[in-house]
Amino acid sequence: MSSIFELSLALSNLSIQMKQLTLPHPAGFIRYLFFYHVAFAFIFTWYLNQYGGDAIRYWQLSAETSHHPQSWADHFGTRTYFIQWLNYLPSKVLGFPFWLGNVIYALVSFLALRILFGMVINILPPRPNPWTLCLLYLVFLLPNLHFWTSGIGKESLSLLGLVLFLKGTQNLKTSWYLLTFGILLSFFVRPLQGALLLGIALPVVCFEKGIHFQLKLLIIPIWILVGWHMLQFLLYITHMEGISPTDIMGFSEEQLSFLDQFAAGSSIPMESYSWPMKLWTLYFRPMPGESADFWRLIAGIENSISLAFFLLPLIFFRKMNWTLTPSWIYWAVLFGFTLMLVYGITLNNLGIIMRMKSFFMIYFHLMTVALLSNLKLENNI
């Protein structure tokens, strides 16, 4: 009993100290976040120069050359083609070095982080509780997001596309162009992501009160037509004949077999896992202790923090008002969860999983911050 009393007393003292703690103002934090994020561009440059990676080939325009491109226009397309098309002018024409290319991509992804941070601040009370700010700052400082989005690659642009889409959902009547650009950018970077956002946009449009019913009747058929063409393109690039369970499992086997050829040190037998184990692996592995490697240790620490963010809403489930959390966070979580299901049948490498989930895991964390902010506001903590 004494130990429980001591723990309660310690938590009480910590709460009092947090109330007295002076934290950086959000305007000051975002300036710090800029230098923090750009610093990762140089870490990313060092890492790639040491271990190699796709980013170098993206910058050298050599990652995809099967169609023998000769001009800037020849590089245009989706996926790797699109990244090389973007890199053509700064890399080949202007001759910028690799490190500067990483800085450029870091500036693009910081723009997304700046927009996202502003969206979150707008949903918090005017004078947020110190606990809320601490959690919010922690979320924006987790390194996996910064590492993979501060360098040349698809994650930086995926982050921007998703943020613009979510920004557009806040007021479709005035910001529909942001939503549209976010879908298009995401589609060119990774067609599946663009198709998912288009699918999410359909209920967004249907539930939007600021759009007249007759306009919705005009928009929805256009959305469906575009979605059908996106689906046909996805089938074309994946060489799938349809979307039946047999077709999907066949594609899954081919994808996992392709990744197995690289015999990576962080490969896992994902095909033999149950779905609960798949989801645990996707969200929370590697955990600390799974490897002595420095980079996986850092990933394990971050995954442990992610686990804590997932558990907190469960602990305070009955005291939370889930309706106070803005819909754009739920749309982002739906997007991330759907991608995780896809990753469950297509990825079997922990390193690739950390990279592929880097740009959307932040929304799961932000949902917890928003929920706890409402909880603290209601209880005047």
Side-chain angles (χ1 to χ4, degrees), residues 256-323:
L256 295 177
S257 177
F258 171 76
L259 293 177
D260 281 337
Q261 297 175 6
F262 297 97
S266 60
S267 62
I268 48 176
M270 186 70 89
E271 63 277 2
S272 65
Y273 287 169
S274 64
W275 266 105
M277 186 60 186
K278 286 178 187 285
L279 293 176
W280 171 264
T281 299
L282 290 167
Y283 282 102
F284 308 121
R285 291 183 63 194
M287 292 294 286
E290 286 197 52
S291 173
D293 177 81
F294 171 77
W295 300 102
R296 270 182 273 181
L297 174 61
I298 297 299
I301 294 173
E302 177 164 336
N303 285 332
S304 298
I305 295 173
S306 292
L307 178 59
F309 273 98
F310 273 72
L311 292 177
L312 282 172
L314 298 178
I315 295 173
F316 299 102
F317 185 84
R318 293 186 177 182
K319 295 183 178 181
M320 288 181 172
N321 189 335
W322 294 75
T323 60

Side-chain angles (χ1 to χ4, degrees), residues 61 72-73 75-77 80-89:
L61 311 182
W72 184 28
H75 284 278
F76 188 77
T80 299
Y81 300 107
F82 182 67
I83 301 299
Q84 293 186 170
W85 178 76
L86 290 176
N87 293 344
Y88 187 91
L89 291 179

Side-chain angles (χ1 to χ4, degrees), residues 98-162:
F98 178 62
W99 68 266
L100 185 54
N102 287 325
V103 170
I104 293 173
Y105 274 76
L107 294 176
V108 170
S109 53
F110 177 76
L111 172 63
L113 291 175
R114 179 66 183 87
I115 296 172
L116 178 59
F117 188 78
M119 292 167 63
V120 178
I121 290 298
N122 287 337
I123 67 174
L124 298 181
R127 300 182 65 180
N129 186 283
W131 280 105
T132 301
L133 283 182
C134 277
L135 291 175
L136 177 62
Y137 293 168
L138 174 60
V139 166
F140 273 89
L141 292 175
L142 291 176
N144 194 56
L145 168 69
H146 296 279
F147 181 81
W148 290 113
T149 64
S150 65
I152 299 163
K154 299 170 185 175
E155 282 64 41
S156 173
L157 302 177
S158 294
L159 176 64
L160 179 61
L162 180 54

Side-chain angles (χ1 to χ4, degrees), residues 19 129 373-381:
K19 291 181 179 181
N129 186 283
S373 172
N374 296 333
L375 174 69
K376 293 181 181 299
L377 185 61
E378 290 177 350
N379 293 305
N380 295 317
I381 296 179

Side-chain angles (χ1 to χ4, degrees), residues 209-221:
K209 297 179 180 179
I211 298 180
H212 200 273
F213 180 72
Q214 282 78 3
L215 183 56
K216 291 181 181 180
L217 292 179
L218 175 64
I219 293 174
I220 290 175

